[in-house]
Amino acid sequence: MKSGFVSLIGKPNVGKSTIMNLLSNRKVSIVTPKAQTTRNNIISVVDAPNYQIVFTDTPGYHNAKNALGKSMNKKVGEAINSADVLILVLSAKEEINEEYLAPFLSKPVHIVVLNKIDLVRLPDANLAKSQIKNLFPKATLIEMCATDGFNADA
């Protein structure tokens, strides 16, 4: 049996918790439009006949201005350091650029999920995908709509 640790990282409100629930096939993380709802790392173990995956849903990484924010960012760092695979979750509604993604550019990101793909026009989605490929050339890019499960199998 193969096993591994996978951490979902990204800015606030990009859909990390929704993806965690989708991949876990059960509700383990709170899902709400309110930013900073996830304040600690949340663990979910997915068992299958040939593998086991330990997923970690992390707080949204942000510019911390107080002790709580700094503590939440520290949790993200812990999840990054303990992961075998890093999944960076981005919202297709957010601008994709080097400044926005600066906290993640030095991380060994394996997969980039462009979530909320259903909420943008095709030209905007194509531009975002191009920018992501330039910033994370070694990562696998997956377009997704976590709320309806579009492309979850990928």
Side-chain angles (χ1 to χ4, degrees):
M1 176 190 278
K2 295 183 179 186
S3 64
F5 294 87
V6 177
S7 292
L8 299 166
I9 61 172
K11 298 278 188 168
N13 278 24
V14 294
K16 297 180 301 296
S17 296
T18 303
I19 291 171
M20 170 81 137
N21 291 343
L22 183 65
L23 296 176
S24 300
N25 209 21
R26 62 185 184 275
K27 185 172 180 170
V28 293
S29 289
I30 296 172
V31 175
T32 175
K34 183 180 178 194
Q36 303 300 323
T37 303
T38 303
R39 295 190 173 185
N40 291 297
N41 291 341
I42 298 172
I43 307 295
S44 178
V45 179
V46 175
D47 286 311
N50 297 323
Y51 64 87
Q52 181 181 65
I53 302 173
V54 180
F55 286 102
T56 303
D57 180 18
T58 63
Y61 191 88
H62 62 288
N63 292 328
K65 295 177 175 53
N66 57 35
L68 176 60
K70 290 176 184 175
S71 172
M72 291 165 60
N73 283 347
K74 184 177 178 185
K75 301 280 184 193
V76 176
E78 292 169 0
I80 289 170
N81 291 334
S82 66
D84 297 314
V85 174
L86 283 180
I87 299 177
L88 174 61
V89 181
L90 303 175
S91 170
K93 294 179 5 176
E94 300 286 331
E95 185 178 352
I96 306 294
N97 61 43
E98 196 166 339
E99 181 181 338
Y100 176 77
L101 294 172
F104 309 109
L105 291 174
S106 63
K107 309 301 182 219
V109 173
H110 300 89
I111 299 170
V112 176
V113 172
L114 184 59
N115 193 26
K116 304 181 185 185
I117 197 70
D118 59 317
L119 301 178
V120 297
R121 296 180 5 235
L122 184 59
D124 295 333
N126 287 336
L127 176 61
K129 291 188 304 186
S130 174
Q131 292 168 324
I132 291 166
K133 288 178 184 177
N134 285 337
L135 293 169
F136 299 95
K138 294 182 180 180
T140 300
L141 174 60
I142 299 172
E143 299 172 62
M144 186 174 201
C145 174
T147 55
D148 69 8
F150 170 73
N151 218 13
D153 291 343

